[in-house]
Coordinates of all heavy atoms in Angstrom, one line a residue:
H1 N -18.8 -11.7 1.8 CA -19.7 -10.5 1.7 C -18.9 -9.2 2.1 O -19.5 -8.1 2.0 CB -20.8 -10.7 2.7 CG -20.4 -10.9 4.1 ND1 -19.8 -12.1 4.5 CD2 -20.4 -10.1 5.2 CE1 -19.5 -12.0 5.8 NE2 -19.9 -10.8 6.2
V2 N -17.6 -9.3 2.4 CA -16.8 -8.1 2.7 C -15.9 -7.8 1.6 O -15.2 -8.7 1.0 CB -16.0 -8.4 4.0 CG1 -15.0 -7.2 4.3 CG2 -16.9 -8.6 5.2
E3 N -15.8 -6.6 1.2 CA -14.8 -6.1 0.2 C -13.5 -5.7 1.0 O -13.6 -4.8 1.8 CB -15.4 -4.9 -0.6 CG -14.4 -4.4 -1.6 CD -14.9 -3.2 -2.4 OE1 -16.2 -3.1 -2.5 OE2 -14.1 -2.4 -2.9
F4 N -12.4 -6.4 0.7 CA -11.2 -6.1 1.4 C -10.3 -5.2 0.5 O -10.2 -5.4 -0.7 CB -10.4 -7.4 1.7 CG -11.0 -8.2 2.8 CD1 -11.9 -9.2 2.6 CD2 -10.6 -7.9 4.1 CE1 -12.5 -9.9 3.6 CE2 -11.2 -8.6 5.2 CZ -12.1 -9.6 4.9
G5 N -9.7 -4.2 1.2 CA -8.8 -3.3 0.5 C -7.4 -3.3 1.1 O -7.2 -3.8 2.2
A6 N -6.4 -2.8 0.4 CA -5.1 -2.6 0.9 C -4.7 -1.2 0.9 O -4.6 -0.6 -0.2 CB -4.1 -3.5 0.0
H7 N -4.4 -0.6 2.1 CA -3.9 0.7 2.2 C -2.5 0.6 2.7 O -2.3 0.5 3.9 CB -4.8 1.5 3.2 CG -4.4 3.0 3.3 ND1 -5.0 4.0 2.6 CD2 -3.4 3.6 4.0 CE1 -4.5 5.2 2.8 NE2 -3.5 4.9 3.7
L8 N -1.6 0.5 1.8 CA -0.2 0.1 2.1 C 0.7 1.4 2.1 O 0.8 2.1 1.0 CB 0.3 -0.9 1.1 CG -0.5 -2.2 1.0 CD1 0.0 -3.1 -0.1 CD2 -0.4 -3.0 2.3
H9 N 1.4 1.6 3.1 CA 2.4 2.6 3.2 C 3.7 1.9 2.9 O 3.9 0.7 3.2 CB 2.5 3.4 4.5 CG 1.3 4.3 4.7 ND1 1.2 5.1 5.8 CD2 0.2 4.5 4.0 CE1 0.1 5.8 5.7 NE2 -0.6 5.4 4.6
T10 N 4.7 2.6 2.3 CA 5.9 1.8 1.9 C 7.1 2.8 1.8 O 6.9 4.0 1.7 CB 5.6 1.2 0.5 OG1 6.8 0.4 0.1 CG2 5.3 2.2 -0.6
T11 N 8.3 2.2 1.8 CA 9.5 2.9 1.5 C 9.7 2.7 0.0 O 9.1 1.9 -0.6 CB 10.7 2.3 2.3 OG1 10.8 0.9 2.0 CG2 10.5 2.5 3.8
P12 N 10.5 3.6 -0.6 CA 10.7 3.5 -2.1 C 11.1 2.2 -2.7 O 10.8 1.9 -3.8 CB 11.7 4.6 -2.4 CG 11.6 5.6 -1.2 CD 11.3 4.7 0.0
T13 N 11.7 1.4 -1.9 CA 12.3 0.1 -2.4 C 11.4 -1.1 -2.1 O 11.7 -2.2 -2.6 CB 13.7 -0.2 -1.8 OG1 13.6 -0.2 -0.4 CG2 14.6 1.0 -2.2
T14 N 10.3 -1.0 -1.4 CA 9.5 -2.2 -1.0 C 8.1 -2.2 -1.6 O 7.3 -3.0 -1.2 CB 9.5 -2.3 0.5 OG1 8.8 -1.1 1.0 CG2 10.8 -2.4 1.1
W15 N 7.8 -1.3 -2.5 CA 6.4 -1.2 -3.0 C 6.0 -2.5 -3.8 O 4.9 -3.0 -3.6 CB 6.2 0.0 -3.9 CG 7.0 0.0 -5.2 CD1 8.2 0.4 -5.5 CD2 6.4 -0.6 -6.4 NE1 8.6 0.2 -6.8 CE2 7.5 -0.4 -7.4 CE3 5.2 -1.2 -6.8 CZ2 7.3 -0.9 -8.7 CZ3 5.1 -1.6 -8.1 CH2 6.1 -1.4 -9.1
F16 N 6.9 -3.0 -4.6 CA 6.5 -4.1 -5.6 C 6.1 -5.3 -4.8 O 5.0 -5.9 -5.1 CB 7.7 -4.4 -6.5 CG 7.3 -5.5 -7.5 CD1 6.7 -5.3 -8.7 CD2 7.6 -6.8 -7.2 CE1 6.3 -6.3 -9.5 CE2 7.3 -7.9 -8.0 CZ 6.6 -7.6 -9.2
E17 N 6.9 -5.8 -3.9 CA 6.5 -7.0 -3.2 C 5.2 -6.9 -2.4 O 4.5 -7.9 -2.3 CB 7.7 -7.5 -2.4 CG 8.2 -6.5 -1.3 CD 9.4 -5.8 -1.8 OE1 9.5 -5.4 -3.0 OE2 10.4 -5.6 -1.0
K18 N 4.9 -5.7 -2.0 CA 3.7 -5.6 -1.2 C 2.4 -5.6 -2.1 O 1.5 -6.3 -1.8 CB 3.7 -4.2 -0.5 CG 4.7 -4.2 0.7 CD 4.6 -2.9 1.4 CE 5.7 -2.9 2.6 NZ 5.5 -1.7 3.5
I19 N 2.5 -4.9 -3.2 CA 1.4 -4.9 -4.2 C 1.2 -6.3 -4.8 O 0.1 -6.9 -4.9 CB 1.7 -3.9 -5.3 CG1 1.4 -2.5 -4.8 CG2 0.8 -4.2 -6.5 CD1 0.0 -2.1 -4.6
D20 N 2.3 -6.9 -5.1 CA 2.3 -8.3 -5.7 C 1.7 -9.3 -4.8 O 0.9 -10.1 -5.2 CB 3.8 -8.7 -6.1 CG 3.8 -9.9 -7.0 OD1 3.2 -9.9 -8.1 OD2 4.6 -10.8 -6.7
A21 N 2.1 -9.2 -3.5 CA 1.5 -10.2 -2.5 C 0.0 -10.0 -2.4 O -0.7 -11.0 -2.3 CB 2.2 -10.0 -1.2
A22 N -0.4 -8.7 -2.2 CA -1.8 -8.5 -2.0 C -2.7 -8.9 -3.2 O -3.7 -9.5 -3.1 CB -2.1 -7.0 -1.7
Y23 N -2.2 -8.6 -4.4 CA -3.0 -8.9 -5.6 C -3.1 -10.4 -5.9 O -4.1 -10.9 -6.2 CB -2.3 -8.2 -6.8 CG -3.1 -8.4 -8.1 CD1 -4.4 -7.9 -8.3 CD2 -2.5 -9.1 -9.2 CE1 -5.0 -8.1 -9.5 CE2 -3.1 -9.3 -10.4 CZ -4.4 -8.8 -10.6 OH -5.1 -9.1 -11.7
K24 N -2.0 -11.0 -5.7 CA -1.9 -12.5 -5.9 C -2.8 -13.2 -4.9 O -3.2 -14.4 -5.1 CB -0.5 -13.0 -6.0 CG 0.2 -12.6 -7.2 CD 1.7 -13.1 -7.3 CE 2.3 -12.8 -8.6 NZ 3.8 -13.2 -8.6
A25 N -3.0 -12.6 -3.7 CA -3.8 -13.2 -2.6 C -5.3 -12.9 -2.8 O -6.1 -13.3 -2.0 CB -3.3 -12.7 -1.3
G26 N -5.6 -12.1 -3.9 CA -7.0 -11.9 -4.2 C -7.5 -10.5 -3.9 O -8.7 -10.2 -4.1
C27 N -6.7 -9.6 -3.4 CA -7.2 -8.2 -3.1 C -7.5 -7.5 -4.4 O -6.7 -7.6 -5.4 CB -6.1 -7.5 -2.3 SG -6.7 -5.8 -1.9
Q28 N -8.6 -6.8 -4.5 CA -9.0 -6.1 -5.7 C -9.2 -4.6 -5.4 O -9.8 -3.9 -6.3 CB -10.4 -6.7 -6.2 CG -10.3 -8.1 -6.7 CD -9.7 -8.2 -8.1 OE1 -10.2 -7.7 -9.0 NE2 -8.6 -8.9 -8.2
R29 N -8.8 -4.1 -4.3 CA -9.0 -2.7 -3.9 C -7.7 -2.2 -3.3 O -7.2 -2.7 -2.3 CB -10.2 -2.6 -2.9 CG -10.5 -1.1 -2.4 CD -11.5 -1.2 -1.3 NE -11.7 0.2 -0.8 CZ -12.7 1.0 -1.2 NH1 -13.6 0.5 -2.0 NH2 -12.8 2.2 -0.7
F30 N -7.2 -1.1 -4.0 CA -5.9 -0.6 -3.6 C -5.9 0.9 -3.4 O -6.4 1.6 -4.3 CB -4.8 -1.0 -4.6 CG -4.5 -2.5 -4.6 CD1 -5.3 -3.3 -5.4 CD2 -3.5 -3.0 -3.9 CE1 -5.0 -4.7 -5.5 CE2 -3.2 -4.4 -3.9 CZ -4.0 -5.2 -4.7
D31 N -5.3 1.4 -2.3 CA -5.2 2.9 -2.1 C -3.8 3.3 -2.5 O -2.8 2.6 -2.3 CB -5.4 3.2 -0.6 CG -6.8 3.1 -0.2 OD1 -7.6 2.5 -0.9 OD2 -7.1 3.5 0.9
G32 N -3.7 4.5 -3.0 CA -2.4 5.0 -3.4 C -2.4 6.6 -3.4 O -3.5 7.2 -3.3
A33 N -1.2 7.2 -3.5 CA -1.1 8.6 -3.7 C 0.0 8.9 -4.7 O 1.1 8.3 -4.6 CB -0.8 9.3 -2.4
I34 N -0.2 9.7 -5.6 CA 0.7 10.0 -6.7 C 2.1 10.4 -6.1 O 2.1 11.2 -5.2 CB 0.2 11.1 -7.6 CG1 -1.0 10.6 -8.5 CG2 1.3 11.7 -8.5 CD1 -1.7 11.6 -9.3
Q35 N 3.1 9.8 -6.6 CA 4.5 10.0 -6.2 C 4.8 9.6 -4.7 O 5.8 9.9 -4.2 CB 5.0 11.4 -6.5 CG 4.9 11.8 -7.9 CD 5.4 13.2 -8.2 OE1 6.4 13.6 -7.7 NE2 4.7 13.9 -9.1
G36 N 3.8 8.9 -4.1 CA 4.0 8.4 -2.8 C 4.0 9.5 -1.7 O 4.5 9.3 -0.6
F37 N 3.5 10.7 -2.1 CA 3.5 11.8 -1.1 C 2.6 11.4 0.1 O 1.6 10.6 0.0 CB 2.9 13.0 -1.7 CG 3.8 13.7 -2.7 CD1 3.4 13.8 -4.0 CD2 5.1 14.1 -2.4 CE1 4.2 14.4 -5.0 CE2 5.9 14.7 -3.3 CZ 5.5 14.9 -4.6
G38 N 3.0 11.9 1.3 CA 2.2 11.7 2.5 C 2.6 10.5 3.3 O 3.7 10.1 3.3
G39 N 1.6 10.0 4.0 CA 1.8 9.0 5.0 C 1.0 9.5 6.2 O 0.4 10.5 6.2
C40 N 1.1 8.8 7.3 CA 0.3 9.1 8.5 C 1.1 10.1 9.4 O 2.2 9.7 9.9 CB -0.1 7.9 9.2 SG -1.1 8.3 10.6
P41 N 0.6 11.3 9.6 CA 1.3 12.2 10.5 C 1.3 11.8 12.0 O 2.1 12.3 12.8 CB 0.5 13.5 10.4 CG -0.8 13.1 9.9 CD -0.7 11.9 9.1
M42 N 0.4 10.8 12.3 CA 0.4 10.3 13.7 C 1.4 9.2 13.9 O 1.6 8.7 15.0 CB -1.0 9.8 14.0 CG -2.1 10.8 13.8 SD -1.8 12.3 14.8 CE -3.2 13.3 14.3
A43 N 2.0 8.6 12.8 CA 3.0 7.6 12.9 C 4.3 8.2 13.0 O 4.5 9.4 12.9 CB 2.8 6.6 11.8
K44 N 5.4 7.3 13.1 CA 6.6 7.9 13.5 C 7.8 7.7 12.5 O 8.9 8.2 12.7 CB 7.1 7.4 14.9 CG 7.4 5.9 14.9 CD 7.8 5.5 16.3 CE 8.4 4.1 16.3 NZ 8.8 3.7 17.7
D45 N 7.5 7.1 11.4 CA 8.6 6.8 10.4 C 8.5 7.9 9.3 O 7.7 7.9 8.4 CB 8.4 5.4 9.8 CG 9.6 5.1 8.9 OD1 10.4 6.0 8.6 OD2 9.8 3.9 8.6
Q46 N 9.5 8.8 9.3 CA 9.5 9.9 8.3 C 9.8 9.4 6.9 O 9.5 10.1 5.9 CB 10.6 11.0 8.7 CG 10.3 11.7 10.0 CD 9.0 12.6 9.9 OE1 8.9 13.3 9.0 NE2 8.2 12.5 10.9
L47 N 10.4 8.3 6.8 CA 10.7 7.8 5.4 C 9.6 7.0 4.8 O 9.7 6.6 3.6 CB 12.0 6.8 5.5 CG 13.2 7.5 6.1 CD1 14.4 6.5 6.2 CD2 13.7 8.7 5.2

């Protein structure tokens, strides 16, 4: 009864395996931002 989503932050080289793992595990809801801009300003990894 719960809709699960994936809000994945990533480095430029690790996007594919994350999306692939979530989709193949049944996730049907994905967040993204064009060109990967942004990320969480409260977190600490600038990359």
Side-chain angles (χ1 to χ4, degrees):
H1 57 288
V2 174
E3 178 182 336
F4 285 93
H7 185 99
L8 301 172
H9 290 183
T10 183
T11 57
T13 59
T14 58
W15 69 269
F16 178 86
E17 53 261 41
K18 294 185 179 187
I19 287 290
D20 194 52
Y23 181 65
K24 288 180 176 175
C27 184
Q28 294 280 300
R29 178 189 177 96
F30 292 86
D31 291 11
I34 289 175
Q35 298 183 45
F37 290 119
C40 183
M42 304 302 180
K44 65 180 189 179
D45 188 345
Q46 294 293 316
L47 298 176

